[in-house]
Amino acid sequence: MLELRELAKHYAAIGGETIRAVDGVSLSVAPGEMVALYGPSGSGKTTLLLMIAALLEPTAGSVLVDGRDISSLSKTEASRFRLTELGFVRQSFDLLPGVSAIDNAVLKLLSTVRWREAHRRIEPLLERLGLGQRLEHRSETLSMGERQRVMIARALSTEPRLLLADEPTGSLDSQRSREVLELLRELCRERGVAVVLVSHDPLAAGYADRVLALRDGRLQDYEPDR
């Protein structure tokens, strides 16, 4: 479903040096598979996700989604790709204050369907995520775990084929982290969504189908003790 071919992003630095943020990454992720990537700050994790999301143009290589090279899309095509084919769960909670959980969750859907239909589609997913009794609660009254679940619902609302998760448990305690990771895995397997999760949380290794490390812009075998 997702295939990265020798993907690279290099930057020119002062003094003529080259910063190799991502340096020749090749990776395939099948539908329903969750791949976890570990790496310290500055290892290239976020840069890699931005290229997969068609938000950053690679220096070299390609990003194929269902055989289509999304790195060569126009701005309009890339925007449409992110809206309809991609889900993105970020570490920061991009929720509107003073707005209910369900209205925050339908923001992506509202670009393609009316408000009433968007609510009808998203409500079963929010209930599955354990938010059935919190639909009308304002975002600032939700717990950290509940806010993350709203973000997951929003990311999956358009039924994407590919989901990117950037430190999705970074602000959660261990119990909430387990709950979020388990729900994310279950939902994506049921829907056949390919998942790339970047994290420094060792709990994620227990929920991923494959675990790799990203160091100095290159993929390596994951070694938990490093």
Side-chain angles (χ1 to χ4, degrees), residues 145-180:
E146 288 169 338
R147 294 179 195 184
Q148 189 60 283
R149 294 179 192 194
V150 172
M151 295 299 297
I152 291 172
R154 182 194 294 174
L156 293 174
S157 65
T158 55
E159 299 185 357
R161 299 288 310 284
L162 173 63
L163 182 76
L164 307 179
D166 188 2
E167 301 283 4
T169 61
S171 301
L172 306 179
D173 60 35
S174 59
Q175 179 59 34
R176 295 290 179 250
S177 294
R178 290 187 182 94
E179 292 174 0
V180 165

Side-chain angles (χ1 to χ4, degrees), residues 33-212:
E33 182 182 22
M34 179 185 288
V35 175
L37 302 180
Y38 284 84
S41 177
S43 62
K45 302 189 305 296
T46 299
T47 299
L48 182 64
L49 289 188
L50 291 176
M51 287 191 288
I52 297 173
L55 287 166
L56 184 65
E57 185 177 352
T59 303
S62 56
V63 178
L64 302 178
V65 177
D66 282 337
R68 179 179 54 159
D69 187 355
I70 62 96
S71 56
S72 62
L73 297 179
S74 68
K75 288 185 178 179
T76 300
E77 291 169 335
S79 179
R80 183 68 179 173
F81 161 74
R82 288 190 293 272
L83 182 64
T84 62
E85 300 179 53
L86 178 73
F88 206 151
V89 181
R90 301 176 184 270
Q91 180 178 2
S92 60
F93 301 133
D94 185 21
L95 301 179
L96 298 178
V99 176
S100 68
I102 191 169
D103 284 339
N104 265 293
V106 299
L107 289 179
K108 280 187 74 176
L109 273 176
L110 290 177
S111 62
T112 57
V113 300
R114 294 183 182 276
W115 181 87
R116 188 181 299 275
E117 174 63 14
H119 273 231
R120 186 189 68 79
R121 293 188 188 183
I122 203 71
E123 190 168 340
L125 179 56
L126 288 169
E127 290 177 352
R128 174 70 186 280
L129 288 165
L131 295 170
Q133 303 301 315
R134 306 284 280 169
L135 300 181
E136 301 300 333
H137 288 246
R138 297 190 308 275
S139 61
E140 60 266 30
T141 69
L142 302 176
S143 70
M144 298 295 278
E146 288 169 338
R147 294 179 195 184
Q148 189 60 283
R149 294 179 192 194
V150 172
M151 295 299 297
I152 291 172
R154 182 194 294 174
L156 293 174
S157 65
T158 55
E159 299 185 357
R161 299 288 310 284
L162 173 63
L163 182 76
L164 307 179
D166 188 2
E167 301 283 4
T169 61
S171 301
L172 306 179
D173 60 35
S174 59
Q175 179 59 34
R176 295 290 179 250
S177 294
R178 290 187 182 94
E179 292 174 0
V180 165
L181 289 166
E182 185 171 354
L183 284 165
L184 193 60
R185 181 181 64 178
E186 288 179 3
L187 285 165
C188 290
R189 284 183 175 175
E190 289 174 7
R191 294 170 175 232
V193 179
V195 183
V196 177
L197 181 154
V198 301
S199 181
H200 63 269
D201 184 354
L203 284 174
Y207 296 88
D209 297 293
R210 281 189 289 152
V211 185
L212 298 167

